[in-house]
Amino acid sequence: MKISIERGALLKAVAQAQSVVERRNTIPILANVLIEAEGDTVQFRATDLDIEVVDKAPAQVERAGATTVAATTLHEIVRKLPDGALVTLSADSAAGRLSVEAGRSSFSLATLPREDFPVMASSEYQSNFSAPAKVLRRLFDKSKFAISTEETRYYLNGVYMHVSDGDGGRVLRCVATDGHRLARIDADLPQGAEDMPGVIVPRKTVGELRKLLEDDDMAIAVSVSETKVRFATPDITLTSKVIDGTFPDYTRVIPQGNTKRLEVDASEFAQAVDRVATVSSERSRAVKLQLDEDRLILSVNAPDSGAAEEELAVAYGDERLDIGFNAKYLLEIASQVDRENAVFLFNSSGDPTLMREGNDETAVYVVMPMRV
Amino acid sequence: MVANAELFDLSIAHMDCDAFYASVEKRDDPSLADKPVIIGGGKRGVVSTACYIARIRGVRSAMPMFQALKLCPEAVIIKPRMDVYVEVSRQIRAMMEDLTPAIQPLSLDEAFMDLGGTARLHGAPPAVMLARLTKRMKSELGLTGSIGLSHNKFLAKVASDLEKPRGFSVIGKAETGAFLHDKPVRLIWGIGPSAQESLDRAGIRTFSDLLRWDRLALSGRFGSMGDRLWHLARGEDKRRVSAHEPVKSISNETTFHEDTGDPDILDGHIWRLAEKVSDRAKARGLAGRVVTLKLKRANHTTLTRRVTLREPTQIADTIYRTARAVFDQSAQQAPFRLIGTGLSDLCSASEANFSGDLLDPQAARRAQAERAADTLRGRFGASAIVKGRALR
């Protein structure tokens, strides 16, 4: 194999591949990226056995072929090469080396045979549809903060993407929860997605997917089966296993009868929470909300470090309510609000609280209060 | 008693009860007085304490029970009655508190005391007060202990062991060097078999061997332990008697009479252990964020799994459910010979505000029920109310 490729194109392709590779690896080949050159394209493939990413880039292929080389090393080299450089990769399979040359720099990297590289088995997808990057970005960006890291409830370690009934008909819905907060985000159901099976997209996949969604208008081809999900742009294909488990019935968790309504400027609210939380104890991060007629007092009282209080003008017309929350949870949901005021709906100091943006029902957050 | 020029100047003491558990049993049942008594659990367990009669036959703490019985077949084996020992320990502690507030307990039956500056208060030097303490223990509790008195913790602990039982040993500053000179380094608390081995390889067996090493060479070879060794070799130990050694973790474990893989039996054990850990956490006002499950398989390999909770807990129900979930992931490794649970990454319980679990709305009610049950048990005794699970 021998190819020449522009440094920028190579860096982009290798960067995507190397981020999938696990840093600590017991199987040497999994630290490698598979480089395959044919026609006028070169393809970089990396996997951690759960996720596989394939990235194509145009290249001048002098000699078709394939090899595998350490992904992080190749990435580091390309990253440090000067912008605009033309990079030549040539594999010497007899010597088991890949030479990387650009300008006056040359490197020789150890390779492993391509035959050893595990390629993810292709599967039958039950559902194939296309969605704009912007739509998917919103679905995952607004839900991913609530993904659980708890290993014992592994089925919460991802975003549950499924078809459901929303306000105005069928919707494509993403839900994530860790038991303390929950995010439920809806989007119009794309054509062809009606029969999509519900899948739990793992946290790492959500992170990798994000890199495909930078360009608002890019159409993303989505394919879903019971066990796998695939997201593809013309250049990059991300395939991932989904979490083998049942996502809990989240609908009963979303409070329906909360009537005490607080409306507040989300960023003012977030900043105030952030300020008072400065003195909260490292572990509990408890912030108390005291609600009274059009007035909200945020306070923290941590015996070991001190106390803080801040008052905000808000719209609130119900009876007096004192309720505590983990400051981190409040900040996270408040930061999801970007267009209108944040609307909180409370029931009592012991019941889950609902938050949404204005009257927008397509993004709903639930957070559990804390004893204070 | 002892004659020593510095006798009335020394103030760091170590008190170690003599064959504590066994002595308590003999006290409570005089018919055991001249019989070899071993405290320990079942035929699979290990010796936790042997009385001096059993020790003469070669029985030692931590020895497997079957081996102890081979050495001393007529021994009376008694299951430990921890609640009694805890109570007696508390009585001894109260007596020590009459001497000084600076007490650092190492276990139920031994503690360091710093009596510095108490001579004027008591109108008697520490040595006299300590002698009175052992006398009082004998007359009021019917138990004996050995005292080591010196100028630091290391030497006080070494001293208390010199003339057990009923010993009173003193190591003064002037004689420290001569005393340590040909003593083996394994005298140092914390030098186990593996540290001993690496010291052996360096040709260090006695304190005089240690003295030949310079400070840099020792810390170069043994790291932080090396520096400590350098000081100890000179009889120096700067550690204070600290009454408030922070608790780092709380754990309980149990060894089965026979290896078991029965999920019902194991479930019962997980619950009881979780409850014990929770009781201890509640008693100390602590909560922890990390729950540990320890399993020892039939081949003695140990499996330890840790789960970090989102928020610290002291609730038995939460500890149980967490340990149980981890257990389910390891159950195929059965049978087991030992199971244990623990709680670590501790903080004060007042910081353990918890936000409830959206997906488990009953959790808050179970925690409430548990606190209600705790109140009942506090009033009517530990067995006033137990979970059905605990009976398995």
Side-chain angles (χ1 to χ4, degrees):
Chain A
M1 182 195 84
K2 184 169 183 187
I3 60 161
S4 296
I5 180 169
E6 195 272 320
R7 181 251 181 197
L10 178 60
L11 179 61
K12 195 169 147 281
V14 175
Q16 184 83 37
Q18 66 95 28
S19 78
V20 172
V21 167
E22 284 291 344
R23 292 287 166 270
R24 267 167 299 205
N25 241 317
T26 47
I27 310 169
I29 192 93
L30 292 184
N32 280 14
V33 54
L34 170 61
I35 309 171
E36 294 167 295
E38 211 187 321
D40 53 3
T41 54
V42 58
Q43 196 168 272
F44 298 86
R45 187 188 297 261
T47 183
D48 66 359
L49 296 180
D50 289 326
I51 304 176
E52 181 190 74
V53 65
V54 182
D55 201 339
K56 282 192 220 120
Q60 217 179 309
V61 179
E62 252 175 72
R63 199 167 65 239
T67 189
T68 82
V69 68
T72 43
T73 316
L74 180 62
H75 176 246
E76 280 296 286
I77 291 172
V78 178
R79 197 172 60 79
K80 291 170 184 171
L81 289 176
D83 210 11
L86 187 70
V87 187
T88 306
L89 305 178
S90 48
D92 179 346
S93 50
R97 297 280 151 176
L98 175 77
S99 87
V100 181
E101 283 166 15
R104 293 182 190 179
S105 320
S106 77
F107 304 83
S108 173
L109 305 178
T111 63
L112 288 170
R114 68 164 301 183
E115 293 73 27
D116 295 352
F117 194 88
V119 173
M120 197 177 265
S122 60
S123 66
E124 286 285 309
Y125 292 101
Q126 277 135 283
S127 175
N128 296 283
F129 59 92
S130 166
K134 191 169 58 178
V135 170
L136 291 176
R137 195 170 67 211
R138 175 175 169 276
L139 283 171
F140 286 97
D141 273 4
K142 284 182 175 294
S143 56
K144 68 183 177 197
F145 74 91
I147 299 175
S148 168
T149 51
E150 214 181 302
E151 278 170 54
T152 44
R153 292 197 283 189
Y154 59 93
Y155 46 82
L156 300 180
N157 297 164
V159 168
Y160 181 43
M161 180 173 78
H162 61 297
V163 178
S164 186
D165 289 315
D167 238 9
R170 306 281 280 167
V171 292
L172 180 61
R173 176 174 281 180
C174 279
V175 176
T177 181
D178 64 358
H180 299 283
R181 54 264 168 82
L182 175 146
R184 187 197 77 188
I185 317 299
D186 292 350
D188 292 341
L189 191 65
Q191 238 180 359
E194 295 80 8
D195 300 322
M196 184 191 90
V199 287
I200 307 169
V201 184
R203 165 191 292 276
K204 183 173 173 185
T205 309
V206 172
E208 293 303 322
L209 167 63
R210 188 60 183 77
K211 297 170 191 160
L212 275 60
L213 307 177
E214 290 300 344
D215 184 356
D216 275 10
D217 299 320
M218 173 81 77
I220 309 291
V222 185
S223 309
V224 185
S225 77
E226 299 276 356
T227 55
K228 275 183 197 149
V229 60
R230 165 174 288 180
F231 301 91
T233 68
D235 292 337
I236 307 172
T237 305
L238 174 70
T239 311
S240 168
K241 291 183 186 165
V242 298
I243 293 176
D244 183 13
T246 309
F247 200 81
D249 175 14
Y250 62 87
T251 50
R252 60 186 173 83
V253 166
I254 297 171
Q256 303 298 329
N258 286 11
T259 52
K260 296 175 185 143
R261 186 177 193 277
L262 160 74
E263 189 166 342
V264 58
D265 181 294
S267 82
E268 259 180 44
F269 175 76
Q271 286 169 25
V273 169
D274 197 18
R275 272 192 294 269
V276 294
T278 317
V279 296
S280 71
S281 106
E282 194 58 45
R283 286 167 195 275
S284 81
R285 307 268 295 149
V287 167
K288 186 171 166 187
L289 277 61
Q290 286 170 270
L291 282 157
D292 216 336
E293 181 103 40
D294 288 345
R295 201 170 66 143
L296 166 64
I297 298 172
L298 294 164
S299 64
V300 166
N301 197 346
D304 292 338
S305 53
E309 194 177 285
E310 180 158 343
E311 193 176 316
L312 280 177
V314 298
Y316 182 76
D318 274 282
E319 65 191 69
R320 212 190 125 89
L321 176 72
D322 287 5
I323 188 167
F325 291 100
N326 183 317
K328 182 167 164 271
Y329 300 165
L330 280 186
L331 283 175
E332 275 170 352
I333 64 167
S335 66
Q336 304 304 322
V337 175
D338 35 38
R339 286 167 298 128
E340 291 180 63
N341 282 342
V343 170
F344 288 88
L345 293 170
F346 303 97
N347 186 32
S348 81
S349 64
D351 293 318
T353 292
L354 191 138
M355 201 280 294
R356 58 170 196 245
E357 193 168 345
N359 286 325
D360 183 1
E361 295 279 357
T362 67
V364 167
Y365 307 91
V366 182
V367 58
M368 270 313 263
M370 185 178 225
R371 264 184 318 162
V372 283
Chain B
M1 216 168 103
V2 240
N4 187 299
E6 298 171 45
L7 182 60
F8 295 142
D9 304 328
L10 301 169
S11 63
I12 308 288
H14 179 255
M15 196 287 296
D16 192 2
C17 294
D18 301 325
F20 183 56
Y21 298 174
S23 304
V24 172
E25 296 301 340
K26 288 196 175 193
R27 179 194 74 174
D28 292 353
D29 180 358
S31 74
L32 295 172
D34 47 7
K35 295 191 181 118
V37 169
I38 296 175
I39 312 297
K43 66 172 194 274
R44 287 283 298 267
V46 294
V47 174
S48 80
T49 309
C51 76
Y52 284 90
I53 303 174
R55 287 189 199 189
I56 291 168
R57 309 284 295 270
V59 179
R60 293 284 175 270
S61 298
M63 182 181 269
M65 196 57 89
F66 71 88
Q67 199 182 337
L69 283 174
K70 228 180 258 169
L71 291 165
C72 187
E74 73 277 23
V76 181
I77 296 179
I78 297 174
K79 270 201 176 171
R81 296 183 297 154
M82 290 313 295
D83 44 339
V84 177
Y85 309 147
V86 169
E87 182 49 35
V88 177
S89 171
R90 209 170 284 149
Q91 291 167 332
I92 298 174
R93 175 83 65 84
M95 293 181 184
M96 293 192 284
E97 275 163 2
D98 289 343
L99 266 54
T100 172
I103 302 168
Q104 181 183 349
L106 294 179
S107 64
L108 286 180
D109 61 344
E110 57 175 319
F112 285 114
M113 283 171 277
D114 183 348
L115 286 94
T118 63
R120 181 170 295 198
L121 176 73
H122 297 306
V128 173
M129 295 310 295
L130 290 163
R132 282 186 199 157
L133 170 70
T134 52
K135 208 172 145 201
R136 216 180 137 194
M137 279 168 58
K138 180 73 193 149
S139 63
E140 290 179 31
L141 300 176
L143 296 169
T144 64
S146 298
I147 303 277
L149 178 62
S150 188
H151 50 99
N152 63 40
K153 282 164 74 171
F154 160 54
L155 291 168
K157 185 158 166 75
V158 168
S160 73
D161 209 33
L162 289 178
E163 291 177 40
K164 269 183 138 328
R166 292 180 217 187
F168 195 119
S169 308
V170 178
I171 302 173
K173 262 191 184 137
E175 64 196 325
T176 299
F179 170 81
L180 287 176
H181 190 262
D182 55 352
K183 295 279 186 296
V185 283
R186 64 163 180 274
L187 215 58
I188 298 168
W189 200 58
I191 301 278
S194 81
Q196 176 72 57
E197 213 171 277
S198 62
L199 286 167
D200 271 354
R201 275 197 300 272
I204 300 172
R205 281 170 193 282
T206 65
F207 281 84
S208 56
D209 295 333
L210 264 182
L211 283 174
R212 282 198 292 272
W213 285 65
D214 78 29
R215 196 167 171 177
L216 282 177
L218 269 182
S219 37
R221 176 143 185 170
F222 301 106
S224 61
M225 179 176 90
D227 202 52
R228 191 166 142 65
L229 287 174
W230 188 87
H231 283 288
L232 291 180
R234 284 151 186 79
E236 296 167 8
D237 178 9
K238 294 247 185 314
R239 291 171 306 158
R240 298 174 46 130
V241 174
S242 113
H244 301 289
E245 197 80 345
V247 185
K248 291 213 178 75
S249 70
I250 299 172
S251 61
N252 266 88
E253 56 185 50
T254 179
T255 304
F256 308 128
H257 291 278
E258 265 151 47
D259 296 347
T260 180
D262 182 332
D264 283 344
I265 292 178
L266 289 163
D267 182 72
H269 280 288
I270 297 173
W271 168 254
R272 277 189 296 273
L273 291 167
E275 210 176 22
K276 274 187 196 161
V277 168
S278 159
D279 282 348
R280 286 169 57 195
K282 286 169 184 163
R284 296 176 194 190
L286 295 171
R289 222 161 71 93
V290 174
V291 173
T292 311
L293 177 78
K294 178 176 164 189
L295 293 163
K296 201 181 264 187
R297 276 174 294 206
N299 62 5
H300 285 257
T301 52
T302 305
L303 216 91
T304 309
R305 303 283 308 268
R306 295 158 49 91
V307 177
T308 304
L309 303 170
R310 199 154 265 280
E311 287 160 348
T313 190
Q314 55 168 203
I315 297 293
D317 182 69
T318 309
I319 300 171
Y320 162 75
R321 277 164 199 268
T322 311
R324 176 67 218 233
V326 186
F327 172 77
D328 287 342
Q329 295 170 4
S330 323
Q332 70 281 4
Q333 313 251 26
F336 302 110
R337 54 176 287 123
L338 173 149
I339 189 164
T341 62
L343 195 60
S344 51
D345 192 3
L346 300 174
C347 65
S348 144
S350 62
E351 287 181 89
N353 298 357
F354 79 115
S355 30
D357 190 336
L358 279 167
L359 303 169
D360 187 4
Q362 297 304 312
R365 297 188 46 188
R366 286 195 307 267
Q368 238 169 25
E370 188 174 317
R371 300 220 182 263
D374 286 345
T375 314
L376 284 177
R377 294 199 298 168
R379 239 207 236 154
F380 302 112
S383 55
I385 180 164
V386 292
K387 286 231 187 203
R389 260 205 299 268
L391 301 174
R392 281 210 290 257

